Amino acid sequence: LPFAANFVAGAIAGVSEILTFYPLDVVKTRMQLETGKSKHGLVGTLRAIIREEGVGRLYRGLVPPLLLEAPKRAVKFAANDFWGKTYLNATGESKMTQKLSVLTGCSAGATV
């Protein structure tokens, strides 16, 4: 895929992750803040938040993580593709080996 496609795919992946898991983070934090043993559990805490504060509360404060995660993932996806192609060309391998995959992932992670 072209660089731009990998970049956009990474941004979409980052946004999707935040939109999916942010509400679970809110529930987890609420459960951690409960004193003593958790009375409601995961589903009970989720229902209580929605009932008492509305669904919007699950996404309150969402903008800063989105602004951070989308560019970070976009760069990481594009860097992973760049380093993969670079290492394949440098070693003369026709397809990715496990060692090259690890090296590529580490290089992409260090890029960000």
Side-chain angles (χ1 to χ4, degrees), residues 8-110:
V8 170
I12 291 170
V15 169
S16 299
E17 178 187 354
I18 294 295
L19 291 176
T20 302
F21 291 107
Y22 195 81
L24 293 175
D25 236 10
V26 171
V27 172
K28 176 197 68 136
T29 302
R30 290 289 180 91
M31 290 175 67
Q32 289 172 333
L33 292 174
E34 285 182 10
T35 55
K37 194 163 179 132
S38 176
K39 302 173 219 163
H40 304 293
L42 179 73
V43 175
T45 303
L46 177 64
R47 285 181 180 158
I49 292 171
I50 292 171
R51 183 178 59 250
E52 295 168 15
E53 302 172 48
V55 175
R57 179 61 186 106
L58 296 172
Y59 291 96
R60 185 172 177 206
L62 181 69
V63 174
L66 280 178
L67 292 176
L68 175 71
E69 195 63 30
K72 181 178 89 172
R73 283 294 171 97
V75 170
K76 194 175 283 189
F77 263 58
N80 193 65
D81 185 60
F82 168 79
W83 287 115
K85 289 176 182 174
T86 301
Y87 292 138
L88 281 174
N89 289 336
T91 60
E93 295 284 342
S94 60
K95 57 185 200 174
M96 193 64 67
T97 64
Q98 186 176 8
K99 289 179 184 178
L100 285 179
S101 292
V102 170
L103 182 59
T104 297
C106 290
S107 299

